[in-house]
Amino acid sequence: MNLYPGLPPRLRPFTDADIVCGVDEAGRGPLAGPVFAAAVILDPKRPIEGLRDSKKLSEARREELAPQIRECALAWAIAECSCEEIDSLNILHATMLAMRRAVEALSTLPTIALIDGNRCPPMEIKAHAVVEGDDKVHAISAASILAKTARDAALVRLHAAYPQYCFDQHKGYGTALHLERLRLHGPSPVHRRSFGPVRELLQADLFAA
């Protein structure tokens, strides 16, 4: 099975001797909740059918694949950065930190990390950015699925704590429903205060006060 369907052999930044992990994130754009990242080292002897960018899979299919990945991978890890860290560091640096935490949490030490996108977090191992990597490298696809399902589950838990915002429906993204509830109830402790719609509400409240 070709674990790198979008990477021609001549363009691969690693050799057969390398231990390759794929890394991806979920939740950069939402107005609330942590940003998640996952790192996965796949086992070529235990292929998983149907791996691709998590955004191109249905929620039901992601939920089917996630336990298969956890069972069949040589190693996997999930990490996050909190809303407070996002507001302190900015979302880009918080995402990079979550990715690094995921790689460092792997039970098997990789020799190279393939990162989805065009930037790599600073790490002690080699890292290589792969644009649209979640559809080119199966390990990145697997990381995308684990990060997405973990973050969705976290937002469902946040819904139990803050049901007035309907986090279980929009997962923190700036949908019309979320913006309506945000204006009605004001920001919660799990909203990202550095993000425009939340920041504007906080500034309006401060001005009114």
Side-chain angles (χ1 to χ4, degrees), residues 6-175:
L7 284 182
R10 62 184 177 83
L11 296 180
R12 295 178 188 174
F14 52 88
T15 70
D16 290 341
D18 278 304
I19 300 173
V20 180
C21 76
V23 185
D24 202 2
E25 55 77 25
R28 285 183 66 168
L31 306 178
V35 61
F36 276 70
V40 177
I41 302 173
L42 290 177
D43 184 350
K45 297 177 181 178
R46 304 185 73 186
I48 302 166
E49 295 293 335
L51 292 177
R52 64 181 309 193
D53 177 4
S54 66
K55 296 184 292 295
K56 298 180 180 179
L57 298 170
S58 68
E59 181 177 359
R61 185 60 178 142
R62 291 194 298 267
E63 293 295 338
E64 289 176 357
L65 285 168
Q68 293 182 46
I69 295 165
R70 292 192 291 267
E71 178 183 352
C72 295
L74 288 173
W76 61 272
I78 299 169
E80 64 183 88
C81 269
S82 67
C83 301
E84 293 80 8
E85 289 175 309
I86 292 169
D87 290 334
S88 172
L89 299 172
N90 77 40
I91 185 59
L92 172 61
H93 289 100
T95 300
M96 294 294 107
L97 178 56
M99 287 180 168
R100 192 182 80 201
R101 285 172 174 170
V103 172
E104 291 175 348
L106 287 167
S107 58
T108 297
L109 181 66
T111 60
I112 186 169
L114 301 183
I115 312 292
D116 183 59
N118 59 7
R119 293 174 180 261
C120 294
M123 291 188 290
E124 294 186 2
I125 64 170
K126 293 184 295 183
H128 183 80
V130 183
V131 175
E132 297 180 352
D134 39 17
D135 255 349
K136 295 178 180 177
V137 177
H138 283 167
I140 298 179
S141 304
S144 171
I145 292 165
L146 290 190
K148 174 63 174 168
T149 52
R151 188 178 189 281
D152 283 355
L155 268 291
V156 170
R157 292 192 294 272
L158 287 182
H159 171 71
Y162 306 99
Q164 66 271 34
Y165 297 98
C166 302
F167 288 135
D168 61 328
Q169 296 183 46
H170 51 69
K171 305 301 190 295
Y173 285 89
T175 64

